[in-house]
């Protein structure tokens, strides 16, 4: 077995296990109102998985090759959904020998201290990705994307764990940004 075959098999196993964890911890059925204001019969609370030790490692393992494919050297996103994913990714990539930089984007500049909107060692010269837990219309990731662009950053990709397939991908494409997800919501039905 070649290394590439072994890596592919390992990623396939990791993806299957992450799907199990998401089904156990994160995917809920009922009546929900989403952050976009839309009503839904299901809810993907990915934080229940991204804050689980095994879930966090699997998310980072599966996003890492996607980020590498796009030449990403730093990763960040809008706080709160992106926080555990960013933490997992910077740790995972350091252990893999390529250590991505990390940053978090506030919803608004803070009115005290350094008054920053982007927290952490943000380096606008590094090609970066914006990550999120779930994408519906893309609102949270778009806020982070715009903040990074306003700060002079080079966003190469938006990536998430679960894409609800409700327009987010098309919104990123209209802005010239590639979009990738580990799963689409349809994979859970």
């Amino acid at each position: 077995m070649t290394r590439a075959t072994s890596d592919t098999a390992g990623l396939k196993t990791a993806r299957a296990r992450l799907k199990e964890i998401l089904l156990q911890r994160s995917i809920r059925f009922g009546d929900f109102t989403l952050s976009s204001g839309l009503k839904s019969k299901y809810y993907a609370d990915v934080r229940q998985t991204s804050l689980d030790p095994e879930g966090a490692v699997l998310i980072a393992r599966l996003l890492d090759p996607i980020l590498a494919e796009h030449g990403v050297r730093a990763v960040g996103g809008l706080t709160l959904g992106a926080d555990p994913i960013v933490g997992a990714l910077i740790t995972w990539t350091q252990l893999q020998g390529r250590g991505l930089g990390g940053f978090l984007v506030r919803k608004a500049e803070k009115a005290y201290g350094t008054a920053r909107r982007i927290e952490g060692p943000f380096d606008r010269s590094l090609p970066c990705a914006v990550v999120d837990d779930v994408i519906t219309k893309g609102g949270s990731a778009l806020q982070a994307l715009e903040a990074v662009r306003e700060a002079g950053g080079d966003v190469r990709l938006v990536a998430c764990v679960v894409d609800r397939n409700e327009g987010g991908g098309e919104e990123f494409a209209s802005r010239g940004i590639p979009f990738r997800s580990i799963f689409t919501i349809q994979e859970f039905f």
Side-chain angles (χ1 to χ4, degrees):
M1 181 181 289
T2 67
R3 180 172 170 84
T5 304
S6 174
D7 289 349
T8 301
L11 289 173
K12 188 174 181 179
T13 300
R15 191 175 190 280
R17 178 62 184 139
L18 180 58
K19 185 176 180 181
E20 288 175 11
I21 295 170
L22 285 162
L23 282 166
Q24 291 168 356
R25 293 178 164 272
S26 297
I27 308 299
R28 301 286 176 254
F29 298 94
D31 293 314
F32 302 95
T33 301
L34 307 176
S35 65
S36 63
L38 298 173
K39 302 289 185 189
S40 179
K41 294 292 184 190
Y42 59 89
Y43 185 67
D45 185 3
V46 174
R47 286 178 304 261
Q48 297 298 322
T49 298
S50 64
L51 289 166
D52 170 76
E54 184 182 9
V57 168
L58 292 168
I59 289 168
R61 182 173 183 197
L62 291 164
L63 285 176
D64 183 25
I66 296 169
L67 302 178
E69 175 186 328
H70 290 270
V72 168
R73 297 294 307 134
V75 63
L78 194 70
T79 197
L80 184 67
D83 295 2
I85 297 168
V86 170
L89 276 164
I90 63 175
T91 302
W92 171 264
T93 58
Q94 179 65 25
L95 293 171
Q96 303 311 305
R98 72 180 203 99
L100 296 177
F103 60 90
L104 299 173
V105 180
R106 292 175 177 274
K107 292 181 182 179
E109 280 182 4
K110 62 182 185 177
Y112 54 90
T114 59
R116 289 188 193 139
R117 179 141 189 234
I118 300 176
E119 296 290 350
F122 175 71
D123 180 345
R124 67 179 179 209
S125 72
L126 297 177
C128 67
V130 168
V131 295
D132 207 347
D133 53 359
V134 179
I135 296 287
T136 302
K137 298 284 186 190
S140 295
L142 286 169
Q143 286 182 53
L145 171 69
E146 292 307 317
V148 171
R149 282 183 164 173
E150 286 172 12
D154 175 16
V155 180
R156 300 276 177 96
L157 172 74
V158 172
C160 72
V161 179
V162 177
D163 177 12
R164 291 179 53 97
N165 281 327
E166 293 186 23
E170 293 79 6
E171 185 63 37
F172 303 126
S174 76
R175 295 167 189 254
I177 300 293
F179 171 65
R180 299 276 298 275
S181 66
I182 299 173
F183 295 102
T184 63
I185 195 65
Q186 289 75 13
E187 295 177 77
F188 297 98
F189 298 108

